[in-house]
Amino acid sequence: MDDATFLSYPPYYTRQTREDTWRKQCDLWCRALLTAVRARKCPIVDVASEDIFTNANINRTVDVQMRREIIDALERRGEATWTAATTACVVDAATVRALCVAMRDIVETYGLSGKVLTLSELTDGRGIAKGTALAGEDEQRCAFAARALELEGACATFQLDGATGVKFA
């Protein structure tokens, strides 16, 4: 079943009670959520307000508890990570982790510890970024990766003249 058909079918907005039916329903929701998040720049999903869980055309909305179960399923698969407040999560966490690894590789390869770069410099495909996994990558996704590295103490991020800077530890 394609996502458009799935998202227009009213029963899928209510959690199915039979466990095997719920697993299939949850898999469809996981796929639809991953597809939606990968199509946009921001991998953050706010549990209460995520658009994918509402279809105004058929007057249906997934309740918050079911949303949490869907995201929990993605987390078990390694495709989502809850934020500290558990009101939002990063979906497509594998991509964010891969960007973290790419940033660490660049720091190590070019000896950038203690140096400051903008996200633009890390993603523009020229200079340091040329030929790396970050070349041409979306800056907003890289910003999430930089924030994840910041939480690990591997860098510090800051805003300066409208640009995001990263100082690597």
Side-chain angles (χ1 to χ4, degrees):
M1 176 181 303
D2 66 22
D3 288 348
T5 302
F6 167 72
L7 294 172
S8 65
Y9 190 60
Y12 283 123
Y13 288 81
T14 303
R15 189 189 189 287
Q16 300 301 301
T17 55
R18 291 189 51 170
E19 195 57 35
D20 60 330
T21 306
W22 163 242
R23 275 194 305 274
K24 291 174 188 170
Q25 179 187 20
C26 187
D27 285 343
L28 288 168
W29 273 112
C30 288
R31 187 184 74 201
L33 185 57
L34 281 170
T35 299
V37 168
R38 288 177 178 154
R40 65 185 191 205
K41 293 180 179 181
C42 180
I44 296 289
V45 170
D46 182 297
V47 176
S49 64
E50 177 59 42
D51 291 343
I52 189 79
F53 293 121
T54 299
N55 186 335
N57 293 332
I58 60 171
N59 196 28
R60 292 288 189 266
T61 299
V62 173
D63 69 48
V64 172
Q65 180 57 39
M66 186 172 150
R67 294 174 190 208
R68 288 182 175 284
E69 289 183 69
I70 293 163
I71 293 168
D72 285 343
L74 283 170
E75 184 178 40
R76 285 189 298 276
R77 299 175 190 178
E79 296 179 291
T81 303
W82 284 104
T83 61
T86 67
T87 56
C89 70
V90 177
V91 173
D92 197 15
T95 299
V96 174
R97 281 192 301 274
L99 293 173
C100 288
V101 168
M103 283 185 189
R104 282 193 178 110
D105 289 347
I106 289 173
V107 169
E108 199 172 292
T109 301
Y110 294 102
L112 299 175
S113 291
K115 306 287 187 210
V116 175
L117 294 170
T118 65
L119 287 178
S120 178
E121 290 172 312
L122 287 169
T123 60
D124 68 5
R126 301 179 303 228
I128 288 174
K130 187 175 184 175
T132 71
L134 297 178
E137 185 58 59
D138 180 73
E139 276 189 44
Q140 196 168 7
R141 284 190 189 273
C142 285
F144 287 107
R147 286 189 203 111
L149 289 174
E150 185 173 31
L151 292 173
E152 296 172 9
C155 71
T157 62
F158 57 91
Q159 295 292 317
L160 183 64
D161 297 331
T164 300
V166 183
K167 181 177 182 179
F168 295 100

